[in-house]
Amino acid sequence: MLRILRNFWNDQRGIALILVSITLPAIIGFSLLAIDMSRANNLHNDLQNGADSFSIAAAAELDGKQDSITRADRALTTLVSNEYDFSTEGTVPGPQPLAAAGVTRRYLRSLPATDNLPITNANVIADEITDASDARFIEVRVTPVGFAAIFPVSFLSAGSSGIWTIGATSVAGFKSGVCDFTPMFICNPYSNMDVFSATLAGDSRPMMLLKKQTGGATAAYGPGNYGFLQTPDGDMSVPRVKEMFASPKPLACYSNDGVDTRPGNIPPINDAINVRFDIYPNGSLNPANYPPAPNTRKGLAVKNAGKPSCTYEAPSAAQASQYKPLPRDNCFTAGTCTVPSGGANSRLGDGSWDRAGYWAVNHPSTSYGSTGLPANASRYEVYKWELNNLTDHGTEATTPACNTPSTDMKRRMVYAAMLDCDPSDGSGQTVSGSGGNYPVESFISIFLTEPAGDAPDADIYGEIVDITGRGGSGSLDNFLRDEAQLYR
């Protein structure tokens, strides 16, 4: 009898069944938890993908124009539709639609400095009607939806239902950049972008006098100053920057998120600018690589036309009445032009210039009224008209006398990133020639009305043609590389 009891005690057959019976609830519980976590994760992924799609679609419309929020809301409503699964929402089992009615949005003018900081009211557009042009980002929140766990949560905690909600948040923004752009920046001479945009209304275009900053690489730039940008690969050599200024198509791209300035002066930069006017001093720039504009009228008499020694010189006293370049705004002659906010000297014209005097000298047999040009036509419009009407050009021909011209009528343009260099207005910054990552207000095109001044100052007189974003007319769109991207 004792032997039978001893054998029974030592017999381990069937023990696995006992262990499985004991651990089976835990195995099933962990399995259910794994399934629930997978379902919850898939639901969150569905909602997050939907939120990302909504925010990117809307952000693509935030181009700085006054109707950008209206277009962004339309994109939310009409362009995007998503689905999510594993939720208790809906009366029919299976995937549920996620449309614009299931999300809320906020438009932002800026983002906190780091991602761990919350978005505050200071970042949010206060008035979506009057401040729509300032919207650069959108935050989309998916209204949380119900989720029911399979795992019996009430088994662990009495009164727990095992039902909660899952949502998602996404922040996207509009990023703009330009390619084939001159490595140049200017400091906005106007008090703000709204004032700047207003100057581009109508046909008339004001003139700007752009002066290089003086005082060393660390000196602050002021409104109306211009300077140089590093190439995208960080090259700051004088030959490279000079080549890019002279080139019809500089191989460089810049983003409005931030640009890096190039310290120091570039004395021969006026030579790189003036190739557009058929002026090649010292033979340092080959006309075959850097051709002149198709219209180079500049109020200078040609010497040795067509010969290797071809140059230009000021007309003699006897010739003076026969040569007249595109005039500066009258206020520059009178010394009454506007001094930019935070700047110095008269830098801003008003678009009023001597059209009649220019026409009498350069187109004596053609009535201005018969040209179809508006009464207050810009200098750039006159320049383009001359390209199409070369039979009446007075003493000075429009076509280059020394070298074969480019066929690009925009060859007399320079392009620049426009920065807010006035920190006193609360939104600007102190800009120096040795700084970096300066945000760009807008990219701008400037029509050169006359050759740049001599080194080292190389003053530039130019007529504002267009800007990107609000107030722009779209003539810079071929340079733009716009994209929407996720930030959070």
Side-chain angles (χ1 to χ4, degrees):
M1 184 67 179
L2 290 175
R3 185 179 62 181
I4 294 174
L5 292 173
R6 188 181 302 110
N7 290 338
F8 177 78
W9 180 261
N10 294 326
D11 192 350
Q12 296 185 11
R13 288 176 296 178
I15 195 171
L17 181 60
I18 299 173
L19 294 175
V20 169
S21 299
I22 296 173
T23 59
L24 185 59
I27 294 173
I28 294 175
F30 279 116
S31 299
L32 292 177
L33 284 175
I35 293 172
D36 283 340
M37 290 300 296
S38 177
R39 291 171 61 240
N41 186 62
N42 287 336
L43 173 58
H44 180 264
N45 285 341
D46 287 349
L47 297 177
Q48 188 63 57
N49 289 337
D52 291 345
S53 299
F54 279 118
S55 62
I56 289 176
E61 305 296 332
L62 302 181
D63 55 2
K65 296 182 180 179
Q66 197 59 45
D67 65 341
S68 60
I69 288 182
T70 300
R71 287 184 281 111
D73 282 342
R74 186 183 305 126
L76 282 175
T77 304
T78 61
L79 294 185
V80 183
S81 180
N82 300 276
E83 292 183 339
Y84 59 91
D85 210 344
F86 304 110
S87 171
T88 58
E89 303 291 331
T91 58
V92 180
Q96 303 297 316
L98 176 60
V103 304
T104 58
R105 91 291 187 274
R106 290 193 297 178
Y107 289 98
L108 315 174
R109 67 175 71 247
S110 61
L111 292 178
T114 57
D115 287 347
N116 64 309
L117 297 176
I119 294 172
T120 66
N121 288 336
N123 305 117
V124 179
I125 296 293
D127 190 321
E128 293 184 358
I129 297 177
T130 60
D131 298 333
S133 58
D134 294 329
R136 290 190 58 202
F137 308 92
I138 181 173
E139 178 193 57
V140 172
R141 288 182 177 273
V142 175
T143 303
V145 299
F147 176 82
I150 301 174
F151 183 86
V153 178
S154 59
F155 177 78
L156 299 177
S157 176
S160 298
S161 65
I163 297 176
W164 64 90
T165 59
I166 296 177
T169 303
S170 177
V171 176
F174 183 85
K175 181 179 180 181
S176 182
V178 293
C179 289
D180 305 332
F181 230 65
T182 319
M184 175 182 181
F185 75 90
I186 69 171
C187 292
N188 188 352
Y190 290 90
S191 57
N192 57 56
M193 284 302 299
D194 292 329
V195 175
F196 193 107
S197 299
T199 67
L200 301 182
D203 298 303
S204 179
R205 290 290 185 270
M207 173 179 278
M208 287 194 297
L209 166 59
L210 300 177
K211 297 183 73 69
K212 284 197 293 186
Q213 171 264 8
T214 58
T218 59
Y221 285 73
N225 284 142
Y226 80 89
F228 310 106
L229 299 177
Q230 298 181 27
T231 65
D233 58 4
D235 193 335
M236 295 185 288
S237 65
V238 168
R240 178 73 187 282
V241 176
K242 178 181 176 182
E243 181 274 332
M244 292 178 67
F245 258 84
S247 175
K249 192 174 183 178
L251 299 179
C253 295
Y254 297 99
S255 169
N256 66 351
D257 281 354
V259 292
D260 298 327
T261 57
R262 179 207 181 278
N265 197 3
I266 303 179
I269 203 64
N270 60 314
D271 292 347
I273 292 173
N274 291 342
V275 295
R276 297 164 174 80
F277 290 91
D278 200 29
I279 299 173
Y280 296 82
N282 308 319
S284 60
L285 292 165
N286 187 345
N289 298 328
Y290 312 105
N295 179 350
T296 57
R297 176 169 282 140
K298 49 192 172 291
L300 298 177
V302 65
K303 181 178 180 181
N304 299 323
K307 296 181 179 181
S309 58
C310 179
T311 59
Y312 293 89
E313 59 187 7
S316 65
Q319 297 174 313
S321 62
Q322 300 174 326
Y323 288 84
K324 187 175 183 65
L326 284 168
R328 300 173 183 177
D329 281 0
N330 297 330
C331 64
F332 282 108
T333 304
T336 57
C337 286
T338 303
V339 177
S341 174
N345 305 319
S346 298
R347 302 281 178 85
L348 296 173
D350 56 9
S352 176
W353 55 282
D354 184 14
R355 293 175 183 82
Y358 178 83
W359 211 259
V361 172
N362 293 296
H363 305 288
S365 60
T366 302
S367 167
Y368 184 87
S370 67
T371 63
L373 291 168
N376 59 344
S378 68
R379 280 158 285 233
Y380 184 53
E381 290 297 325
V382 170
Y383 162 86
K384 292 190 295 182
W385 182 90
E386 290 176 334
L387 287 177
N388 297 318
N389 299 270
L390 300 179
T391 56
D392 175 29
H393 51 63
T395 301
E396 182 183 4
T398 55
T399 53
C402 297
N403 299 293
T404 303
S406 166
T407 58
D408 182 7
M409 71 167 57
K410 296 182 179 179
R411 183 66 175 121
R412 265 174 66 173
M413 296 277 198
V414 291
Y415 305 92
M418 188 164 61
L419 313 181
D420 185 350
C421 307
D422 183 11
S424 66
D425 64 5
S427 61
Q429 66 230 306
T430 300
V431 174
S432 71
S434 57
N437 201 33
Y438 295 118
V440 177
E441 282 194 301
S442 182
F443 293 99
I444 182 173
S445 57
I446 303 168
F447 171 64
L448 299 173
T449 58
E450 61 187 76
D454 292 335
D457 297 328
D459 290 348
I460 297 173
Y461 283 89
E463 185 177 74
I464 304 167
V465 176
D466 202 3
I467 57 175
T468 57
R470 60 186 182 222
S473 62
S475 67
L476 293 173
D477 287 353
N478 60 313
F479 292 98
L480 287 174
R481 303 294 185 271
D482 293 338
E483 61 182 28
Q485 70 177 49
L486 293 172
Y487 286 85
R488 291 190 173 191

